[in-house]
Amino acid sequence: MNAIQDVVRIEHVRPEHWDAYRSLRLQAVAEEPVVFSERDWILSLSPEEVRELLGDAYVSSLDKSRTIMLWARKDKLSLGAITVEIYTFKGQEVAYIYDMYIVREYRGQGLGKKLLLYCLAYIKTVPGVKVIRLSVPNTQEAALALYISVGFRIVASDEACAQYIDRDGAQIELLYMEYTL
């Protein structure tokens, strides 16, 4: 392990962390708008507005088992995050990973792998989950390589996403991946 990994803690995002987590997510949207902007309308809201709009259930869901939000932190510095939702599909519990993000200047140092492996270990403790799913744009080559390196496999692709163009002008194809427990 390198030095930065040794001092980074992986923690569950709690309701009292909302403002710091929100700032990290807004940074992700700014850096990777095609990847992160779909669900991030909620980030424009304060914790009070989230509670008013969705009730305490959403903010308190940060502390519940069906939504798992983790982040990598060094002291009070937020370096990355990942979110997992557990849902039931055809009678089976399935974990879906989305919105994995590492701050650009900390990429390539193993933090993404540390965060993902912690996430996978946590999911393995959730009763009934036998499969973990995620999707990744084909233009996110480093993320794709990371997912494959820990055992995810591509199970399908969605060319319908080809209408989206990333910042470099490349067409985006969404790849669907699975990890079987």
Side-chain angles (χ1 to χ4, degrees):
M1 237 182 238
N2 66 34
I4 191 72
Q5 285 188 45
D6 293 337
V7 295
V8 169
R9 296 177 325 279
I10 307 299
E11 302 174 342
H12 287 259
V13 178
R14 304 282 181 223
E16 61 270 21
H17 300 143
W18 177 258
D19 288 330
Y21 176 76
R22 178 180 173 266
S23 293
L24 180 66
R25 297 292 302 132
L26 288 171
Q27 182 177 348
V29 171
E31 286 184 11
E32 306 286 350
V34 173
V35 178
F36 291 106
S37 61
E38 181 180 314
R39 288 176 298 280
D40 284 328
W41 60 272
I42 200 161
L43 295 174
S44 65
L45 306 176
S46 70
E48 293 74 27
E49 290 169 323
V50 171
R51 285 186 182 96
E52 184 178 320
L53 180 65
L54 302 174
D56 283 332
Y58 182 81
V59 174
S60 66
S61 75
L62 300 177
D63 210 14
K64 303 297 180 200
S65 62
R66 301 298 285 181
T67 300
I68 303 152
M69 299 169 95
L70 302 168
W71 59 354
R73 300 190 83 193
K74 178 182 173 237
D75 302 318
K76 292 189 179 229
L77 185 62
S78 304
L79 305 178
I82 191 168
T83 303
V84 178
E85 287 190 18
I86 310 297
Y87 63 94
T88 304
F89 180 73
K90 296 184 178 180
Q92 180 181 357
E93 295 295 296
V94 176
Y96 192 88
I97 293 175
Y98 62 95
D99 293 346
M100 183 166 172
Y101 170 75
I102 299 296
V103 172
R104 190 175 305 272
E105 55 267 26
Y106 291 95
R107 293 177 187 172
Q109 299 179 46
L111 294 179
K113 189 167 194 171
K114 181 177 182 173
L115 183 59
L116 182 59
L117 289 174
Y118 184 98
C119 181
L120 294 176
Y122 186 86
I123 292 169
K124 289 175 183 178
T125 69
V126 178
V129 174
K130 300 289 185 232
V131 66
I132 304 168
R133 295 185 176 137
L134 60 82
S135 58
V136 61
N138 64 326
T139 56
Q140 298 288 314
E141 294 172 5
L144 181 59
L146 171 62
Y147 298 139
I148 290 170
S149 78
V150 300
F152 279 88
R153 61 187 175 80
I154 298 170
V155 294
S157 66
D158 184 357
E159 293 177 4
C161 291
Q163 64 186 335
Y164 298 109
I165 306 295
D166 73 7
R167 288 182 175 180
D168 299 323
Q171 288 190 322
I172 295 173
E173 180 179 354
L174 200 57
L175 304 174
Y176 296 95
M177 302 183 81
E178 284 188 355
Y179 180 103
T180 304
L181 300 176

